[in-house]
Amino acid sequence: MANFEYNPKEIEKKWQDIWDEEEAFKTSTDRSKPKYYALVEFPYPSGQGLHVGHPRPYTALDIISRKRRMEGYNVLFPMGWDAFGLPTENFAIKNKIHPRIVTENNVSRFKNQLKSLGYSFDWSREINTTDPEYYKWTQWIFLKLFEKGLAYKTEMPINWCTQCKVGLANEEVVNGVCERCGGEVVRKVKSQWMLKITEYAEKLLNDLDLVDYIEKVKISQKNWIGRSEGAEVDFNIKDTDDFIRIFTTRPDTLFGATYMVLSPEHPLIDKYKEKITNYDEVLEYREIASKKSDFERTELSKEKTGVPLKGISAVNPVNGNNIPVWISDYVLMTYGTGAIMAVPAHDERDFEFAKKFSLPIIEVVKGGNVEEAAYTDTETGILVNSGFLNGLEVKDAKGKIINWLEEKKIGKRKVNYKLRDWVFSRQRYWGEPIPLVYCEKCGWVPIPEEELPLTLPEVENYVPTETGESPLANIRDWVETTCPKCGGHAERETDTMPQWAGSSWYFLRYTDPHNDKAFASKEDLDYWLPVDWYNGGMEHTTLHLLYSRFWHKFLYDLGYVSTPEPYQKRTSHGMILGENNEKMSKSRGNVVNPDDIVNEFGADTLRTYEMFIGAFDQSAAWSQQGVKGCRRFLDRVWKVQDIIVDGDSFSKELEVKMHQTIKKVSLDFEQMKFNTAIAAMMSLINDFYSNGKVTKGEIKTFLILLNPVAPHITEEMWQLLKFEGRIYNQKWPVWDEEKTVEDTIEIAIQINGKLRGTALISLNEEKESVKEKVMSIDKIKEILEGKTIIKEIYVPNKIYNIVIK
RNA sequence: GCGGGCAUGGCGGAAUUGGCAGACGCACUAGACUUAGGAUCUAGCGCCGCGUGCGUGGGGGUUCAAGUCCCUCUGCCCGCACCA
């Protein structure tokens, strides 16, 4: 029958064209169907093209999407391009090609590659963050944030990449170097646009309860937000009316505070420069600290450094003791109040500092030896040396001292977050222009909505200026403009937005991508949101997820979207490593190009292998041999055509196996256990061959099960076997639970827990009758000879265990 | 340092509530078909001293029964990293 070879090259192109022509995967406008929104992270179209890591999540959700369509859902499964960003710009600078052209080329390459893999994306909804029709709305959302006071400009030390000459968010600094280029990062003070994500800290944390994210994603969100409860306490600066406000999570240890530490940047230092007798020394320390990158600050942490503020002392409010004030870079200006009370007896960092500078250590919680090490246990300790707190447990002491502080109005209960506001400025060309102008008279003024998008001007040169200004700053006729408010002279903001901007709301645009009246219509947003299943890499689980949740919540508060959370479910895929078990990279020479796999083996083989390679959420090493095995499987699927016989139902021999496989594949797909689902299908194919024949009913079901994984070969066979219509719009098969179990079962016979034989029994056979069978087996009789049976345990349909002495 | 994850044949990896460890694939071995085989098919394939033997990183425990539960130790991977 199959007198021709399986030829993926031919059939894959053929079916991709047919699907396009038939608009097979175009999202339906039929609102009567239940909706399903499946989302994968849209790629950054790099110059390298697709690598084999990309298809892993795409294939996974393509499988889910194809299955959902067969289950009767109206499915939205879109794709687009996160195309602003540094690599494109750097490439453009180097090769003197406009980044728009570079982007176009990269996108077209990526798109061809994705198309060759047969994904069921609705390409009519393709979006591109660099398209003015798209970034118009990115700018629009920014203006809303500005309008609501959530965008502000401030002078602040930022991480400055000396190589890219660009400001980086904390998150983009990895191990002290620039995440993208690996260049040195130093601190530099610049005026920056910031977004007040901290205002949403509590909601971003609490609403994690509303969603179904894998646990490790929730944990990383929580850690990043970093909520901690404690108190703010004011310490009087002796002989002044000023106070040093500190934040502590251990107000119970207040009696043990023997000195204070300010961050080197703390403003009170300037205020009291007259009083500080060693001010030169202080300035010198501050200078050194500011030059250090965050990385150096932490790297050199083995040894604490600091300078006392001579001439200044503070008063511990609980006991009136005078205590010295120091500055040290282990106290960060960006957390809490930039100042701490130091309790060396019960904080490791303070302990280390106190030991180095011979500062007093007072034990206030019993349980350790505070001469040897800080005692930080909060569960068991009892307060000592602490006046009215003596004898209390830590948790009770905390409550009591906070009440006391609040009564005396020298402190209050306080919640702090590690999360900081989002640095939203980039001094770069290839990003969304920030749609604000600065007017001497009116200050920062948004450009009118009808003038959006504010497009990027054409420039000769994309290199940032030496001073760190964006290249836009050099285009005077773009910069110079009039104030929309007063009509006077004004200048445009020349910073652009970070790459995170466009990806913070792209999932909303997919619901209505061509709308020119709104970022998406309320109707489409209401129907499609939330995203039912969002899969992406672990590397995006903190930032992208947090940022896009923030924007979504902001739009929710404004009434534009109707769900408090954007993504109902979030899963994560593991990385694909090279054959040598190392991360794939050019320099390691272990990169596998998906095009080569498609050419040699076919897209269906690539898809099958990517899903078979191992547990979806774990990293897995590529194996060319493994790819071959999957191709061999598809060859065997193809050749099954030789043994097909008539019959719409399942044969008696295979009925149970068929139902078991339908069940296994259906459930495994849902749990992203693609590897075992494919294993089950391989096993079924093996059974087809050992059975010597397959009915049309069996092959039909098999092809539908395999279709989400290998859509081309199954579509082709469906046609060759003259089944009706297209496989892509068949119904997903259902299993009959009763038919998933054989009526004859082999059980294990154990003696003292060790396997000593097996017996065939009928399903749910009574213990007595099973016992008879077991006791009649020669080998069992032999072992039992002369022994005493103490106990017999029968687990129905599983084991029969005899305990003897 | 803190948080999370992992450890099973030669390799990738399977194993509901504890219930026949090693599904499925790769590699390997033997045979068949062949001028040929890096194609295909058939069979075998955890280890050894071949036993009433041993075996899921090491040690201990609970249980009739442990990869799975508890205690403890070791090693690897990924986040975060002076967050008061």
Side-chain angles (χ1 to χ4, degrees), chain A residues 728-796:
Chain A
Y728 68 75
N729 50 30
Q730 298 306 307
K731 271 211 179 79
W732 189 253
V734 287
W735 72 92
D736 180 340
E737 190 63 44
E738 278 181 19
K739 290 181 179 158
T740 60
V741 274
E742 301 277 0
D743 46 18
T744 309
I745 294 169
E746 191 189 43
I747 63 159
I749 302 167
Q750 296 181 342
I751 310 254
N752 287 348
K754 298 209 187 254
L755 183 69
R756 288 291 177 258
T758 59
L760 284 175
I761 63 159
S762 47
L763 184 62
N764 298 328
E765 191 167 328
E766 289 300 317
K767 184 175 179 181
E768 280 313 304
S769 123
V770 173
K771 181 177 181 174
E772 235 168 79
K773 276 184 188 160
V774 169
M775 295 304 177
S776 68
I777 295 167
D778 288 343
K779 186 171 177 203
I780 301 299
K781 274 197 256 182
E782 207 177 292
I783 298 169
L784 295 180
E785 186 72 38
K787 309 278 184 175
T788 322
I789 295 176
I790 298 169
K791 202 170 169 186
E792 283 165 78
I793 297 134
Y794 174 54
V795 181

Side-chain angles (χ1 to χ4, degrees), chain A residues 125-369:
Chain A
R125 290 174 184 252
E126 176 181 355
I127 59 173
N128 185 326
T129 55
T130 65
D131 180 353
E133 287 310 302
Y134 180 90
Y135 72 67
K136 169 182 177 175
W137 299 105
T138 311
Q139 291 173 332
W140 182 87
I141 297 170
F142 175 83
L143 287 183
K144 290 287 162 199
L145 287 158
F146 178 77
E147 206 177 280
K148 298 291 169 191
L150 291 170
Y152 62 98
K153 202 166 197 189
T154 189
E155 290 273 333
M156 72 169 302
I158 55 150
N159 302 299
W160 179 258
C161 173
T162 48
Q163 203 165 312
C164 304
K165 295 191 177 106
V166 65
L168 303 172
N170 286 335
E171 308 87 67
E172 290 168 304
V173 184
V174 175
N175 292 333
V177 298
C178 173
E179 182 187 41
R180 296 214 177 274
C181 75
E184 192 201 350
V185 176
V186 295
R187 299 162 75 76
K188 177 168 179 160
V189 174
K190 253 210 133 267
S191 179
Q192 303 283 330
W193 283 101
M194 308 284 293
L195 294 185
K196 265 190 211 169
I197 190 172
T198 49
E199 200 146 295
Y200 279 77
E202 191 80 43
K203 280 184 187 169
L204 288 168
L205 183 67
N206 292 342
D207 289 358
L208 287 172
D209 291 341
L210 306 178
V211 291
D212 171 26
Y213 293 0
I214 49 171
E215 201 49 35
K216 61 179 170 179
V217 172
K218 280 195 185 183
I219 290 168
S220 64
Q221 294 268 298
K222 283 178 189 164
N223 289 345
W224 196 266
I225 295 167
R227 182 182 198 275
S228 59
E229 283 180 28
E232 278 186 352
V233 185
D234 290 337
F235 284 61
N236 179 239
I237 303 174
K238 193 164 186 281
D239 304 325
T240 75
D241 295 330
D242 260 322
F243 290 88
I244 298 171
R245 174 163 292 183
I246 59 99
F247 172 72
T248 176
T249 54
R250 295 294 304 277
D252 55 299
T253 61
L254 207 39
F255 285 89
T258 52
Y259 63 101
M260 300 187 79
V261 186
L262 304 184
S263 152
E265 300 90 14
H266 202 284
L268 280 172
I269 299 169
D270 297 315
K271 186 165 178 190
Y272 286 96
K273 62 179 170 193
E274 306 301 331
K275 281 186 92 134
I276 300 169
T277 56
N278 60 337
Y279 193 63
D280 288 348
E281 201 188 344
V282 169
L283 280 190
E284 195 189 332
Y285 183 81
R286 175 188 274 185
E287 182 64 22
I288 293 165
S290 77
K291 279 202 182 128
K292 281 190 209 169
S293 63
D294 273 351
F295 183 61
E296 284 174 301
R297 266 169 91 145
T298 57
E299 262 309 89
L300 300 168
S301 69
K302 292 152 207 149
E303 195 66 352
K304 290 266 183 291
T305 59
V307 173
L309 296 182
K310 291 182 183 158
I312 285 204
S313 68
V315 181
N316 187 333
V318 289
N319 53 19
N321 289 351
N322 276 353
I323 56 176
V325 181
W326 286 62
I327 62 168
S328 171
D329 62 7
Y330 85 90
V331 175
L332 310 174
M333 196 57 225
T334 45
Y335 183 76
T337 60
I340 62 159
M341 67 172 194
V343 185
H346 305 288
D347 181 285
E348 278 164 28
R349 297 153 298 178
D350 299 344
F351 179 84
E352 208 184 308
F353 193 85
K355 277 286 176 196
K356 169 137 188 212
F357 296 107
S358 304
L359 292 156
I361 299 169
I362 300 175
E363 178 181 58
V364 289
V365 181
K366 243 186 352 196
N369 177 359

Side-chain angles (χ1 to χ4, degrees), chain A residues 497-641:
Chain A
M497 300 187 196
Q499 206 190 336
W500 307 106
S503 59
S504 289
W505 72 282
Y506 76 113
F507 56 96
L508 301 173
R509 186 64 176 172
Y510 280 137
T511 65
D512 188 13
H514 308 296
N515 196 322
D516 57 0
K517 304 280 185 294
F519 66 84
S521 75
K522 190 78 182 16
E523 195 199 351
D524 282 301
L525 291 166
D526 284 352
Y527 176 71
W528 286 112
L529 292 179
V531 173
D532 293 281
W533 192 336
Y534 188 22
N535 184 84
M538 270 317 277
E539 66 274 22
H540 294 129
T541 50
T542 25
L543 299 166
H544 161 63
L545 217 56
L546 206 61
Y547 292 156
S548 58
R549 289 179 63 222
F550 163 45
W551 276 34
H552 186 88
K553 285 182 170 304
F554 170 69
L555 293 170
Y556 173 71
D557 285 349
L558 263 48
Y560 290 104
V561 296
S562 310
T563 59
E565 282 287 333
Y567 318 117
Q568 189 50 47
K569 173 174 179 168
R570 168 80 184 194
T571 54
S572 208
H573 56 267
M575 225 191 312
I576 296 207
L577 307 171
E579 298 228 44
N580 55 358
N581 236 301
E582 288 171 25
K583 208 171 159 174
M584 273 192 200
S585 72
K586 249 193 207 162
S587 57
R588 290 188 178 91
N590 60 355
V591 176
V592 179
N593 184 340
D595 293 345
D596 297 340
I597 307 297
V598 172
N599 276 330
E600 196 177 343
F601 301 99
D604 283 336
T605 296
L606 176 67
R607 293 170 61 114
T608 307
Y609 179 62
E610 295 250 356
M611 294 297 99
F612 189 63
I613 192 168
F616 183 70
D617 60 345
Q618 258 144 26
S619 58
W622 191 263
S623 151
Q624 200 69 8
Q625 293 299 339
V627 176
K628 266 161 71 177
C630 287
R631 169 60 193 259
R632 203 170 298 163
F633 165 59
L634 294 181
D635 280 327
R636 277 165 70 75
V637 169
W638 183 259
K639 280 193 220 131
V640 98
Q641 291 181 84

